[in-house]
Amino acid sequence: QDLAKKNTANRQVVEQRRRLLEEWVAWREQMKEMLDEEGIEVEVEEDAGQGKDADAEVEEIE
Amino acid sequence: MRPILLQGHERALTQVKYNADGDLIFSVSKDHVVCAWYSHNGERLGTYHGHQGALWTVDVHPSSALLATGGADNTMRLWEVKTGRLLHTWEFATSIKRVEFSPDGRQLLGVTEKRSGHLSTIVVYEIDPDVDAEQTDEQSLRIVCDESKATVAGFSYGAKYIIAGHEDGTVSQYDAKTGELLLNITVHEPDMQITDLQWSADRTYFITASKDKTAKLVTTNDLEILKSYTTDTPLNSAAITPVKDYVILGGGQAAMDVTTTSARQGKFEARFYHKIFMEEIGRVRGHFGPLNYVAIHPKGTGYCSGGEDGYVRVHHFDKPYFDFMYEVEREQANL
């Protein structure tokens, strides 16, 4: 029974996170459209992937 | 993630900044000196001498050719990065607490301190990005903060708004052309000073740090609080990381505010929170005084912190930092 409770609690946490992430992604899309409409170009590193940058590679070797 | 220690300052650090490429770090301190460093190895590139008092603030021009500083000698100064040449000095009645260039580098704002007979102001100058140009003394805008003094301020995306944080815990949105106050929202606990305001990469939102022990993620357009990060120590600084969805918070109890000071009690750690889920995911120790400022590498590959202990610590993130993902993030990435 405890295990069932724990599973429900975990599921709720995951559901909550999924919701927060979806909200965030949707809001970011809105903001990108807003910037487009304002005619503003931004060099955005954000959402650029996994940081496979020269610096990061050097760190891995160490 | 072995940090590089930048040794050279003799007193507390007040602000540290990366340039747009992230290859340089600029630091200012109460010791009156501005230092420039190579971020990859911590080698000192040079120093900028001339200020006659403690320095509170520094910002690098988007082109990396110009540097702006401000401090307790009531001056805001413009420097040539490469040579250390002082290009211009603007004089005020009170000290300069914050300087920041607009995203296009055409404007420079300064926040002036409040003192008997002088209200706090936000002043704006048009900047000629040519290092040999004559800079103007004429203010293109002057905002008087008569409700509560401004402690921090900066330009939004497209320099459409000026956003300021105040001593009373509120955030203001001003029209950056007219100076008209458009919004004023209580973001932090009333009368708990806002200590820092840093932008997201596209400047559509920003993060504020406060003495109320929290940091808040706020939208530029509506000053709506999106996220709140709660800690157990007064915060001096907060930064938003590009690439990964984290925020980095820095602070700590000042020595004068605690009866016994040890690194453990002072909580002198950089704290990493997940930006979207608002959960703490890690801490980095090292400073033996409060963290006065944290700055993130513009490409998100590392960060540096300036401490009350007089040190700048530069960290290059290693693989686990980039690999770490919540299950739901993994799902999202695989969509």
Side-chain angles (χ1 to χ4, degrees):
Chain A
Q1 216 182 358
D2 280 355
L3 195 69
K5 239 185 234 171
K6 202 176 154 191
N7 282 340
T8 313
N10 282 346
R11 201 155 51 231
Q12 278 171 350
V13 168
V14 170
E15 281 302 323
Q16 167 74 354
R17 283 188 190 142
R18 193 172 287 136
R19 195 176 58 77
L20 289 174
L21 185 58
E22 279 168 8
E23 268 176 25
W24 178 262
V25 170
W27 184 72
R28 291 301 305 147
E29 283 304 316
Q30 264 183 44
M31 286 300 105
K32 276 176 200 155
E33 282 170 26
M34 188 273 298
L35 288 176
D36 277 351
E37 283 165 21
E38 297 258 339
I40 292 159
E41 272 183 52
V42 187
E43 266 186 65
V44 187
E45 299 287 344
E46 199 175 30
D47 312 327
Q50 291 305 304
K52 289 279 182 270
D53 182 280
D55 289 350
E57 297 296 344
V58 170
E59 286 306 306
E60 281 174 39
I61 294 160
E62 277 180 10
Chain B
M1 195 165 76
R2 179 175 303 208
I4 303 168
L5 223 56
L6 306 187
Q7 289 164 295
H9 283 293
E10 287 171 6
R11 291 195 59 200
L13 273 294
T14 49
Q15 199 170 18
V16 289
K17 279 276 178 80
Y18 285 91
N19 66 336
D21 289 335
D23 58 331
L24 302 176
I25 292 171
F26 297 88
S27 59
V28 288
S29 147
K30 290 182 185 169
D31 66 9
H32 310 189
V33 182
V34 190
C35 285
W37 317 81
Y38 289 107
S39 63
H40 69 282
N41 63 3
E43 192 188 325
R44 190 156 70 177
L45 169 69
T47 53
Y48 304 77
H49 292 273
H51 274 287
Q52 301 294 317
L55 281 159
W56 302 127
T57 179
V58 63
D59 196 27
V60 202
H61 192 271
S63 72
S64 296
L66 304 171
L67 190 72
T69 54
D73 64 357
N74 302 350
T75 67
M76 180 164 86
R77 295 176 192 237
L78 191 72
W79 311 82
E80 183 180 17
V81 168
K82 223 187 300 179
T83 62
R85 179 162 61 114
L86 177 64
L87 301 176
H88 198 84
T89 303
W90 292 273
E91 291 187 22
F92 299 89
T94 59
S95 57
I96 303 296
K97 300 307 294 249
R98 199 73 166 207
V99 294
E100 200 177 293
F101 287 103
S102 59
D104 68 358
R106 292 272 170 186
Q107 298 176 84
L108 174 63
L109 74 70
V111 175
T112 70
E113 178 65 288
K114 176 182 173 180
R115 217 180 50 198
S116 52
H118 299 279
L119 285 168
S120 156
T121 64
I122 301 166
V123 295
V124 179
Y125 296 90
E126 300 290 325
I127 294 296
D128 189 330
D130 180 355
V131 292
D132 294 317
E134 186 69 35
Q135 302 293 340
T136 180
D137 277 318
E138 196 185 321
Q139 293 169 3
S140 59
L141 190 65
R142 182 168 181 269
I143 298 167
V144 178
C145 303
D146 44 9
E147 283 285 324
S148 174
K149 78 170 185 187
T151 48
V152 292
F155 290 96
S156 77
Y157 62 87
K160 184 176 183 181
Y161 305 114
I162 288 171
I163 306 284
H166 299 271
E167 194 183 26
D168 66 357
T170 68
V171 170
S172 296
Q173 183 199 60
Y174 302 95
D175 184 309
K177 292 208 169 59
T178 65
E180 185 191 349
L181 176 64
L182 304 172
L183 285 171
N184 179 253
I185 306 283
T186 302
V187 166
H188 286 278
E189 289 289 311
D191 293 320
M192 292 295 230
Q193 187 188 327
I194 295 182
T195 47
D196 194 18
L197 188 161
Q198 293 194 41
W199 296 99
S200 68
D202 68 3
R203 301 197 189 212
T204 58
Y205 63 102
F206 55 88
I207 192 166
T208 55
S210 165
K211 292 289 180 195
D212 74 1
K213 306 183 179 177
T214 70
K216 310 269 185 178
L217 210 66
V218 183
T219 66
T220 300
N221 283 350
D222 310 309
L223 302 188
E224 183 193 337
I225 301 170
L226 291 174
K227 305 286 173 187
S228 185
Y229 311 95
T230 305
T231 74
D232 56 0
T233 193
L235 293 177
N236 294 327
S237 188
I240 301 168
T241 68
V243 185
K244 296 298 285 184
D245 285 318
Y246 307 145
V247 297
I248 311 174
L249 315 181
Q253 207 85 35
M256 54 190 256
D257 297 337
V258 281
T259 43
T260 43
T261 46
S262 71
R264 186 182 291 272
Q265 281 161 326
K267 307 185 168 104
F268 309 136
E269 296 151 320
R271 293 128 188 272
F272 286 69
Y273 281 68
H274 194 281
K275 183 173 71 183
I276 300 165
F277 308 135
M278 298 176 278
E279 289 165 18
E280 184 170 343
I281 49 177
R283 292 188 188 191
V284 178
R285 308 175 68 155
H287 281 289
F288 45 91
L291 279 72
N292 288 336
Y293 204 85
V294 289
I296 181 81
H297 189 293
K299 293 187 172 63
T301 55
Y303 81 100
C304 65
S305 49
E308 185 68 21
D309 59 11
Y311 293 107
V312 179
R313 301 175 72 88
V314 185
H315 302 256
H316 295 276
F317 295 133
D318 46 23
K319 200 168 175 296
Y321 170 92
F322 294 105
D323 287 346
F324 177 79
M325 265 179 142
Y326 278 79
E327 194 53 43
V328 294
E329 290 184 290
R330 219 177 291 278
E331 286 170 16
Q332 180 81 30
N334 292 334
L335 282 182

